[in-house]
Amino acid sequence: MIYDYLYNLTGSEALAAFIQSLLPLFIFILPFALFAVLMERKVSAHMQDRLGPMRVGYHGILQTVADILKLVQKEDIVPADTDKPLFNIAPALVFVGSYGVFAAIPFSGAFVGANIDLGLFYIVAISGLIVAGILMAGWSSNNKYSLLGAMRSAAQIISYEIPTMLVILTIVMITGTLNLYTLSEMQTGYFWNWMIFGGPDFGISKFIFIPLMIIAFVVIYISTLAEVNRTPFDIPEAESELVAGYHTEYSGMKFAMFFLAEYANMFAVSAIVAAIFFGGFQSPFGYLGNTFGVHWLIPFEQFFWFTAKGLFFVFVQMWLRWTLPRLRVDQLMALCWKYLIPIAFVDLLIVGLITVL
Amino acid sequence: MGLVTVLIGMKVTFKHIFVPAVTIQYPDVKPELPERERNRLYVNMDDCIGCDQCARACPVDCIEIETVKSLPAEDLGKTSNGKKKALWVTKFNIDIAKCCYCQLCVFPCPTECIYMTDVYEFSEYNRNNLIYNFVTLTPQEIEEKKDNFAKLEAEKAVQKAAAAAKAAAEKTAAKPAPKTENKPPENTGSVN
Amino acid sequence: MLTEEKIPTKPDNVRTEEMVLNMGPQHPSTHGVLRLELTLQGEIIKECRPHIGYLHRCFEKHAEAMTYPQVVPYTDRMDYLASMYNEFGYAVAVEKLLGIEIPERVEYIRVIMGEFQRIASHLVALGTYGADIGAMTPFLFCFRDREKILSLFELVSGARLLYNYIWVGGVSHDLHPDFVRLAKEFIPYFRPKIKELNDLLTGNRIFIERTANVGVLPLDTAINFGISGPNLRASGLKWDLRRDDPYSIYDKFDFDIPIGKGEMGTVGDCWDRYYMRVLEMEQSLRILEQALDQIPEGDVSSAIPKRIKPPAGQVYSRVENPRGELGYFIISNGTVNPFRIKVKGPSFVHLGIMNELCKGHMIADVIAILGSIDIVLGEVDR
């Protein structure tokens, strides 16, 4: 894998680990965040019969670069009575929480940041840092609307982690592993081996699993949508208590970090859903590398499929954002506690029974 | 059931991705405006007879007109539809920032010299540049016309005073006559 | 020291305060400059007081210094989203005062313009309501359709929003030769768009959850407060000035008056008021079809008086604005300037029920309620 390749290249463990940890950030996430902002604006524009950014670069490709340049050169305003250490750490914490998830996600057969056996568990734990960051941001802003927005956002994220974990438990019961890399490897072959179609073991249980897996997929997709604060669950982002929520008082580079963290988070949860249910980096119908005997092509193909699936789910998230109205806070909570959790729980029980029997 | 309505909504938005955009790229492509379009006002001073109808019709009082009567000997020419001009227009200001583009000034004009063009991009950096002056006379000419008119008025006033003095003198001279006036009509009446 | 601290164990020891929140004159949602002072108990609203006057431009005082034809551009600017109807109402009032007869072609043109204006105004109301609730796409679809109507108006009068078209005694220009053809093309273009709007917004489960059973206006409260227009019809009463107090030639057309039936919740909730406007757009299309077919030839400027000098007297006449009952009370003293024009704007009256409707709801519902009663601040403040 890449770590070994780098170790052979540099001869030093620390350097190899260092470069390997930076790779996802610079090669993938930052360009992806730039691309995702533009994609959101273009997708929303075309859905609304208009054109989106057209002036900067060809058809607006360089628009995000212009936005980032603008944000970087802005004055960093820190309001007077804020809690300065918390105020400064909060965006960094949110960014770390979003980015840290990528360590356990397999980008291709040859690259996974850290092949942890507790992959999924680690992911859920690290994204808990986001909640801490949001609460810090809301509290230290010294603004009662920010505080209320932050508390609502924290309540939303914490509540929706429960259905996510229940669905993850369901998958764990079927496959027996928390390691995302092994999960993706298990769904090898063709697309009917994917988890959404019942898993790689062929038998009567596979067909019983299909409706259960589809329900689990819908539940986890909705819960992760709420975890990243996207419409219809975007109370913290848009008009929370009529102002902008927990990041009201941030400007310049710190705001840019919240901004990029949101898009990184979107891709992270899309990648997780793709890895769990849709085969991660596996191709739906075999590899060109295998057919032509060009074996070094396979990791690149897998990377392509991984990106394609992630981008597709990100597109569906954007699609939902521009179609649906917003849920009110109490309806959001009711959806989680009264509908998603019971459904996920029942799903878990049935899958557990089938696995045991 | 809620999920079904969500999916129906998603189908609508998805179809719209493939609909071509209805917007145009403005500064490069400009929309075609219909012929009755109401944008910036323009006054053709050759046709203006200084009747003040447009200023009176304006609801926001953005037109200021001042005129000076011309001397009887001067010929100001005719407008394009045959009316003879008799007034020098010394001031014709339209404050286009005040104008509400209602077109009420266009209808009363007898010569159709004030009308709305299709110019809509006329922003200025200085607000005073939005007061449009339409007079075609130079300031010296304006002074000259005003002086001429003042002189004419003065002459007329002098003449009037002289005539009034004369009439008063005639009246005082003719005053004793009324007692003897009764007799001559009788004498003239008897001579056939 | 725990024993010395007052630990609230009984409800009388717990002191709660009501918080006053200001939804200030600058809003994320549209509707104009309005200040709502909300008194909250936790999340629940105890009182909602609107403060208005931010857009007061002294229309009624200005009108006393203008001549009758000069007042028409001022009436445009009151309810700027439905300008044709403001002019229509004023023209009907002054013609009543003068006692003149209008050519039939003028009446047809006025009805056609009025109904197009009703559709345009409702499109803004529905689009911005969706945007308030969070769905941003229907807003753009509604405005795209409204552009077609505005370009029709531009063809005829020269302006897109403030027309100065319907004058006392007639209209300012005759219809453009292309107008009838383009207007007839609009109707089949627009019908599927209403269906699309219903798919996207009206039937959406989340939208229904946000608006059904929220801000219920019972019928007797509505009548007591003087509500009119779609808000009153949503509460169940079939009252439409075009049918019940006919003006112009509305009695010649065949159209239905939709009322609220509480399909998704209670009768008179926000969903009903929203749906009323959708149904009214369909009925306006019916009126338009009939009017465009029947429009006669004639001279539109024959009845426009040279100098409008009504005899001394007073008149109150009302028309059915897209928002409700728009009334003009004009007192004339025999001169060319009106002595007094008083406008009864429906949005002003409707703003009065905000307090009634918002009690007991949450803050997110205030936005939903405010959007559903469809006010325009230009009409509230004049």
Side-chain angles (χ1 to χ4, degrees):
Chain A
M1 298 221 277
I2 291 201
Y3 178 69
D4 304 322
Y5 173 73
L6 283 169
Y7 184 55
N8 290 337
L9 197 64
T10 59
S12 143
E13 272 192 11
L15 203 55
F18 184 67
I19 299 180
Q20 195 202 25
S21 63
L22 285 182
L23 273 179
L25 177 63
F26 286 111
I27 297 189
F28 196 73
I29 300 187
L30 284 180
F32 171 75
L34 296 184
F35 174 70
V37 174
L38 182 71
M39 179 173 148
E40 163 121 59
R41 290 173 74 161
K42 281 299 208 182
V43 161
S44 75
H46 282 283
M47 281 184 180
Q48 294 164 353
D49 287 352
R50 53 189 180 93
L51 288 169
M54 290 287 279
R55 298 214 157 260
V56 189
Y58 175 71
H59 274 57
I61 290 188
L62 297 177
Q63 178 70 42
T64 324
V65 175
D67 283 338
I68 297 291
L69 282 176
K70 176 200 79 164
L71 280 173
V72 162
Q73 52 96 32
K74 271 197 194 274
E75 181 190 349
D76 192 19
I77 305 176
V78 176
D81 282 330
T82 58
D83 203 335
K84 297 238 174 11
L86 288 182
F87 193 81
N88 292 327
I89 294 179
L93 209 55
V94 170
F95 193 75
V96 164
S98 305
Y99 171 53
V101 171
F102 284 93
I105 296 183
F107 282 74
S108 78
F111 182 76
V112 61
N115 202 351
I116 327 176
D117 275 329
L118 285 175
L120 281 168
F121 192 73
Y122 161 80
I123 287 175
V124 179
I126 272 278
S127 45
L129 275 180
I130 300 179
V131 182
I134 292 179
L135 278 172
M136 273 194 218
W139 170 258
S140 63
S141 293
N142 195 29
N143 181 347
K144 69 179 158 190
Y145 303 117
S146 287
L147 181 61
L148 284 164
M151 296 213 291
R152 279 195 184 152
S153 175
Q156 178 183 323
I157 296 184
I158 294 178
S159 312
Y160 277 89
E161 276 181 10
I162 301 179
T164 316
M165 271 314 288
L166 284 174
V167 169
I168 289 179
L169 276 176
T170 316
I171 292 292
V172 168
M173 274 204 256
I174 300 179
T175 59
T177 170
L178 275 170
N179 190 341
L180 270 178
Y181 184 72
T182 327
L183 258 178
S184 307
E185 286 277 300
M186 278 173 72
Q187 300 174 55
T188 186
Y190 297 92
F191 65 90
W192 48 79
N193 282 339
W194 289 349
M195 278 301 171
I196 189 114
F197 297 115
D201 309 317
F202 203 79
I204 190 90
S205 58
K206 181 179 165 99
F207 292 100
I208 306 182
F209 275 153
I210 294 183
L212 297 170
M213 287 289 113
I214 295 183
I215 296 176
F217 165 65
V218 170
V219 167
I220 198 175
Y221 198 68
I222 297 177
S223 340
T224 49
L225 210 64
E227 290 217 24
V228 295
N229 290 337
R230 296 285 290 181
T231 320
F233 308 106
D234 66 345
I235 310 275
E237 266 183 14
E239 287 185 38
S240 159
E241 295 274 47
L242 324 156
V243 275
Y246 59 88
H247 50 66
T248 322
E249 301 281 351
Y250 284 92
S251 60
M253 199 57 220
K254 299 204 180 100
F255 179 73
M257 292 190 90
F258 275 116
F259 200 50
L260 292 177
E262 177 185 335
Y263 285 99
N265 219 2
M266 269 171 69
F267 186 78
V269 297
S270 302
I272 294 171
V273 168
I276 298 179
F277 283 103
F278 286 88
F281 50 76
Q282 305 280 7
S283 134
F285 16 73
Y287 293 104
L288 289 176
N290 274 336
T291 12
F292 294 130
V294 189
H295 286 279
W296 55 265
L297 197 57
I298 296 185
F300 291 98
E301 271 189 71
Q302 289 175 331
F303 181 65
F304 164 72
W305 283 112
F306 169 78
T307 318
K309 289 175 200 175
L311 276 181
F312 173 71
F313 283 112
V314 169
F315 169 70
V316 175
Q317 285 179 337
M318 292 181 183
W319 188 5
L320 281 172
R321 175 180 185 181
W322 296 105
T323 312
L324 297 175
R326 215 173 287 134
L327 279 174
R328 212 171 52 196
V329 175
D330 60 326
Q331 291 165 347
L332 201 151
M333 289 305 186
L335 178 68
C336 175
W337 293 90
K338 291 189 192 167
Y339 295 98
L340 289 182
I341 292 186
I343 293 178
F345 204 60
V346 167
D347 209 43
L348 177 71
L349 286 176
I350 299 180
V351 166
L353 280 174
I354 297 177
T355 330
V356 162
L357 296 172
Chain B
M1 194 264 295
L3 213 55
V4 171
T5 55
V6 167
L7 290 172
I8 296 178
M10 283 170 75
K11 187 174 88 152
V12 170
T13 18
F14 190 70
K15 265 199 266 172
H16 268 276
I17 300 184
F18 304 106
V19 170
V22 295
T23 52
I24 57 173
Q25 300 276 80
Y26 169 61
D28 307 326
V29 177
K30 301 211 174 140
E32 244 194 63
L33 299 175
E35 43 181 274
R36 293 186 192 171
E37 185 70 19
R38 311 207 294 239
N39 295 116
R40 188 169 69 171
L41 279 170
Y42 180 71
V43 183
N44 186 354
M45 285 309 289
D46 294 332
D47 280 346
C48 176
I49 61 172
C51 62
D52 210 34
Q53 286 297 327
C54 54
R56 270 184 247 159
C58 176
V60 289
D61 295 331
C62 71
I63 305 183
E64 288 176 352
I65 300 182
E66 272 178 19
T67 51
V68 156
K69 256 208 195 129
S70 63
L71 303 173
E74 283 175 330
D75 178 23
L76 288 85
K78 288 204 168 132
T79 64
S80 53
N81 56 354
K83 284 194 202 279
K84 193 165 183 331
K85 295 203 275 192
L87 294 170
W88 290 110
V89 183
T90 52
K91 183 171 172 202
F92 198 120
N93 289 353
I94 298 187
D95 189 352
I96 205 79
K98 265 199 212 164
C99 173
C100 66
Y101 302 94
C102 65
Q103 216 186 24
L104 279 176
C105 55
V106 175
F107 295 97
C109 180
T111 54
E112 291 181 13
C113 71
I114 184 170
Y115 52 89
M116 303 201 100
T117 57
D118 59 355
V119 177
Y120 53 89
E121 293 154 318
F122 50 89
S123 7
E124 300 277 347
Y125 283 103
N126 192 344
R127 199 192 251 181
N128 291 331
N129 292 342
L130 284 176
I131 302 181
Y132 293 161
N133 305 326
F134 283 103
V135 286
T136 45
L137 305 170
T138 61
Q140 294 98 317
E141 285 183 331
I142 295 178
E143 281 302 312
E144 189 193 316
K145 310 296 176 201
K146 282 193 182 158
D147 284 339
N148 285 350
F149 183 65
K151 273 190 226 156
L152 188 68
E153 284 289 291
E155 271 180 24
K156 273 199 186 156
V158 163
Q159 281 180 1
K160 228 185 188 172
K166 211 171 160 196
E170 276 179 0
K171 258 195 184 161
T172 48
K175 264 203 183 128
K179 286 185 191 162
T180 51
E181 267 181 8
N182 286 329
K183 287 179 199 162
E186 283 170 21
N187 283 336
T188 51
S190 58
V191 176
N192 277 336
Chain C
M1 310 299 286
L2 266 163
T3 47
E4 283 162 34
E5 255 183 307
K6 265 199 191 153
I7 304 173
T9 48
K10 289 180 288 190
D12 358 320
N13 275 355
V14 175
R15 200 186 60 148
T16 53
E17 266 182 14
E18 294 179 344
M19 178 169 94
V20 173
L21 186 66
N22 203 16
M23 259 174 89
Q26 296 130 330
H27 258 271
S29 8
T30 48
H31 312 293
V33 274
L34 169 69
R35 178 173 155 227
L36 287 176
E37 196 186 318
L38 305 169
T39 315
L40 305 167
Q41 179 100 30
E43 275 276 325
I44 309 291
I45 296 185
K46 297 233 92 124
E47 198 188 344
C48 166
R49 304 180 78 197
H51 293 258
I52 57 176
Y54 291 93
L55 200 51
H56 181 60
R57 293 155 294 169
C58 313
F59 160 71
E60 295 175 358
K61 186 67 186 169
H62 264 307
E64 294 174 15
M66 300 283 132
T67 62
Y68 284 90
Q70 281 177 331
V71 175
V72 177
Y74 282 88
T75 58
D76 270 344
R77 283 150 171 84
M78 280 196 310
D79 177 0
Y80 36 80
L81 294 174
S83 309
M84 284 288 187
Y85 244 99
N86 293 7
E87 297 172 9
F88 198 167
Y90 176 72
V92 167
V94 179
E95 282 154 16
K96 224 186 209 175
L97 202 53
L98 286 172
I100 56 180
E101 274 284 320
I102 316 292
E104 215 185 345
R105 185 176 168 84
V106 170
E107 299 275 29
Y108 271 90
I109 294 180
R110 283 181 180 178
V111 166
I112 291 174
M113 294 302 160
E115 292 307 311
F116 266 123
Q117 186 68 79
R118 189 183 303 272
I119 297 178
S121 171
H122 282 324
L123 281 173
V124 176
L126 302 174
T128 53
Y129 195 47
D132 288 346
I133 301 286
M136 295 173 251
T137 319
F139 173 76
L140 284 150
F141 292 164
C142 288
F143 271 68
R144 176 202 58 196
D145 300 325
R146 183 170 173 255
E147 279 300 308
K148 296 244 174 343
I149 300 183
L150 292 186
S151 47
L152 279 174
F153 283 149
E154 203 182 13
L155 202 59
V156 146
S157 74
R160 279 160 46 92
L161 208 64
L162 303 166
Y163 314 107
N164 192 19
Y165 182 65
I166 298 185
W167 286 357
V168 177
V171 286
S172 71
H173 304 271
D174 201 349
L175 291 181
H176 194 267
D178 286 337
F179 179 81
V180 178
R181 174 183 61 90
L182 289 171
K184 283 191 176 159
E185 280 171 20
F186 175 76
I187 298 175
Y189 159 80
F190 188 58
R191 279 220 162 89
K193 305 293 175 189
I194 301 186
K195 180 174 177 318
E196 190 184 67
L197 182 69
N198 281 341
D199 276 340
L200 199 49
L201 200 56
T202 318
N204 193 317
R205 188 81 220 151
I206 301 178
F207 181 73
I208 296 175
E209 293 276 318
R210 280 298 290 271
T211 52
N213 293 323
V214 167
V216 177
L217 182 62
L219 185 57
D220 43 355
T221 320
I223 298 180
N224 285 342
F225 271 88
I227 310 292
S228 51
N231 298 334
L232 182 63
R233 291 196 277 281
S235 293
L237 183 64
K238 211 170 200 171
W239 173 260
D240 188 334
L241 286 176
R242 296 174 288 175
R243 198 40 78 68
D244 297 302
D245 191 5
Y247 53 95
S248 186
I249 47 165
Y250 274 103
D251 38 9
K252 286 196 189 159
F253 300 114
D254 171 37
F255 58 100
D256 293 327
I257 317 269
I259 58 169
K261 298 199 183 64
E263 289 164 2
M264 295 287 173
T266 357
V267 175
D269 57 13
C270 288
W271 193 87
D272 268 342
R273 287 194 280 276
Y274 165 86
Y275 196 51
M276 249 344 81
R277 301 194 165 95
V278 177
L279 292 174
E280 273 191 15
M281 286 203 297
E282 291 180 15
Q283 297 304 319
S284 288
L285 282 180
R286 275 178 73 182
I287 300 180
L288 277 173
E289 274 178 338
Q290 296 167 43
L292 284 167
D293 281 331
Q294 298 170 14
I295 186 168
E297 296 297 323
D299 182 10
V300 297
S301 47
S302 57
I304 300 182
K306 277 268 175 245
R307 236 158 91 92
I308 300 184
K309 208 171 171 189
Q314 59 194 40
V315 70
Y316 177 75
S317 90
R318 48 189 185 166
V319 293
E320 178 84 13
N321 213 4
R323 286 175 175 79
E325 171 187 322
L326 175 68
Y328 280 89
F329 177 62
I330 304 185
I331 306 180
S332 146
N333 56 359
T335 59
V336 288
N337 308 83
F339 181 69
R340 172 87 170 103
I341 297 186
K342 161 89 176 90
V343 175
K344 182 255 184 201
S347 304
F348 182 74
V349 177
H350 295 175
L351 203 49
I353 52 167
M354 275 298 286
N355 195 16
E356 274 297 306
L357 290 183
C358 288
K359 281 207 172 98
H361 286 292
M362 288 190 276
I363 299 179
D365 295 327
V366 169
I367 303 179
I369 295 173
L370 187 63
S372 73
I373 56 180
D374 191 20
I375 55 172
V376 170
L377 263 299
E379 201 170 49
V380 171
D381 291 334
R382 291 184 289 276

